Amino acid sequence: MRIHRVVLIFALLGAMLIGTTACSDEPTDTTRAAASTTTLPPAPTVLGPLGFGKLRLGMSRSEAEATGEIATFDDTDDPPGCGRYTARAGWQGFTNKGEIVAIMPGKLPVRTPEGITIGSTVDEVRATYPALEIGYNWSSAVAPDQPARYGFLGIYRNMPADAKVTQIMLYNDRDTCHN
């Protein structure tokens, strides 16, 4: 009989312990493990109207380096005065005479302040930017009320009917360093 009481006491204590753990607001090892294996796509980050993250169009090389976002600068000088930079996150951009003139976040999930993202259709881009200029390789539109432009890769002359934005870039008039 004593053994049954001892077992019953341990069973009740165990149930109480499990009950308080289950009701706790603190995450358990099990919930931590589940959370760490669940990956949600990152929310789009705003590109523009004049920069991305801490980088701004028109920043000097030293100002850009001071942000901590630049990994490397490559002063190719082809064409003269032009160069490239790579951000620590892996995306790239262009410089002209040491000034940031283009920001190209690549395939990162970015959006313009007006809501255009990778995957937006040409009709959505045109509705958002009525003065959209369709080019041979990509299209562009003025960033509203700013001295900058958005470039939309994936939307171009002779595009398929279901064309969508594949990348978005931000640049200014001093970007004479790429087509």
Side-chain angles (χ1 to χ4, degrees), residues 12-106:
L12 288 172
L13 287 173
M16 287 173 46
L17 181 62
I18 290 170
T20 53
T21 303
C23 293
S24 171
D25 288 337
E26 293 297 315
T28 64
D29 289 341
T30 305
T31 57
R32 279 190 201 101
S36 68
T37 59
T38 305
T39 55
L40 297 173
T45 305
V46 177
L47 172 64
L50 293 175
F52 184 60
K54 296 177 186 174
L55 289 181
R56 296 287 171 262
L57 293 174
M59 275 186 160
S60 69
R61 179 178 177 154
S62 60
E63 290 171 325
E65 286 174 328
T67 67
E69 292 198 18
I70 301 294
T72 61
F73 273 98
D74 177 17
D75 296 321
T76 60
D77 212 33
D78 181 29
C82 294
R84 270 182 194 267
Y85 64 88
T86 302
R88 293 193 187 286
W91 51 270
Q92 300 179 356
F94 291 99
T95 61
N96 187 347
K97 296 182 178 137
E99 177 184 302
I100 301 289
V101 295
I103 299 171
M104 302 170 57

Side-chain angles (χ1 to χ4, degrees), residues 116-117 119-129:
I116 296 300
T117 64
S120 292
T121 66
V122 66
D123 292 337
E124 291 169 330
V125 176
R126 227 181 234 133
T128 303
Y129 305 104

